[in-house]
């Protein structure tokens, strides 16, 4: 996975105009139920964040693209859960781990709207919380408000984390 993140960062360094569309797709995939388990993209997002200060890529378009991509991924996951409630439990990986759905339901029911914020920042929960919110019919507008706000915060945190790490490394190299 590390090679994947470096390859994407190298591509973005060479083709800066593609930064926002690539971040959009990475954030969408990272937030989409089932797909996020196969393609963890947060490392590539942090690596692209490291390029923001170093390459002169504008932060705001990349940040908004990441936020919208993540929010749309969660929106699709919510819709999928809402639409296919009964069938979701028979799909992989939930079919192999039947205890996940009741735990997801308990998490969403006990935390409510904050579960969307909490889930956004914890790997496997990132895509499963919106799915559970849809299955168990969290009110649509409450979900969407938490979804879009948390997606923008999440996108900013990952990109800025990469930028800060790059600046720290640059500073360390300058004193060595």
């Amino acid at each position: 996975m590390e090679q994947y993140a470096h390859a994407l960062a190298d591509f973005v360094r060479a083709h800066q105009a593609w930064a926002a569309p690539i971040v959009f797709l990475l954030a969408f995939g990272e937030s989409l139920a089932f797909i996020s388990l196969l393609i963890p993209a947060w490392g590539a997002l942090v690596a692209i964040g490291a390029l923001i200060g170093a390459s002169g890529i504008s932060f705001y378009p990349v940040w908004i693209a990441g936020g919208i991509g993540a929010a749309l991924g969660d929106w699709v996951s919510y819709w999928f859960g809402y639409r296919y409630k009964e069938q979701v439990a028979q799909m992989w990986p939930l079919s192999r781990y039947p205890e996940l759905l009741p735990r997801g339901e308990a998490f969403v029911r006990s935390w409510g709207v904050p579960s969307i914020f909490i889930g956004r920042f914890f790997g496997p929960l990132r895509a499963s919380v919106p799915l559970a919110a849809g299955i168990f019919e969290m009110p649509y507008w409450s979900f969407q408000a938490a979804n879009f706000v948390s997606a923008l915060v999440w996108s900013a945190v990952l990109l800025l984390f990469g930028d800060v790490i790059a600046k720290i490394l640059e500073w360390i190299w300058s004193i060595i």
Side-chain angles (χ1 to χ4, degrees):
M1 273 306 155
E2 190 175 322
Q3 291 174 331
Y4 160 75
H6 285 296
L8 272 173
D10 289 341
F11 180 83
V12 169
R13 182 180 298 120
H15 308 283
Q16 293 182 6
W18 283 95
I22 288 172
V23 166
F24 173 88
L25 290 173
L26 288 170
F28 179 79
E30 179 73 18
S31 300
L32 195 57
F34 307 118
I35 302 299
S36 66
L37 297 172
L38 303 173
I39 307 170
W42 69 270
L45 291 167
V46 170
I48 291 170
L51 295 175
I52 288 175
S55 300
I57 296 171
S58 179
F59 172 77
Y60 293 104
V62 175
W63 166 55
I64 297 297
I68 291 172
L72 290 178
D74 275 7
W75 192 345
V76 169
S77 298
Y78 175 90
W79 173 83
F80 192 82
Y82 188 83
R83 173 72 173 88
Y84 297 103
K85 289 175 188 59
E86 295 80 24
Q87 294 94 343
V88 170
Q90 280 77 48
M91 295 177 179
W92 178 88
L94 295 176
S95 62
R96 296 185 66 202
Y97 304 99
E99 73 282 356
L100 289 179
L101 215 45
R103 286 183 15 202
E105 176 183 13
F107 182 72
V108 169
R109 289 195 192 277
S110 66
W111 285 92
V113 171
S115 70
I116 306 306
F117 283 89
I118 295 166
R120 173 79 63 198
F121 288 91
F122 293 99
L125 291 177
R126 187 172 4 273
S128 61
V129 167
L131 184 66
I135 291 170
F136 305 112
E137 299 181 7
M138 175 182 277
Y140 179 80
W141 290 111
S142 298
F143 170 80
Q144 290 303 349
N147 176 28
F148 275 88
V149 171
S150 68
L152 288 168
V153 172
W154 175 80
S155 177
V157 166
L158 283 180
L159 294 170
L160 291 172
F161 179 71
D163 189 37
V164 168
I165 294 298
K167 286 180 179 162
I168 290 170
L169 290 173
E170 183 180 320
W171 176 74
I172 289 171
W173 285 114
S174 72
I175 61 171
I176 292 180

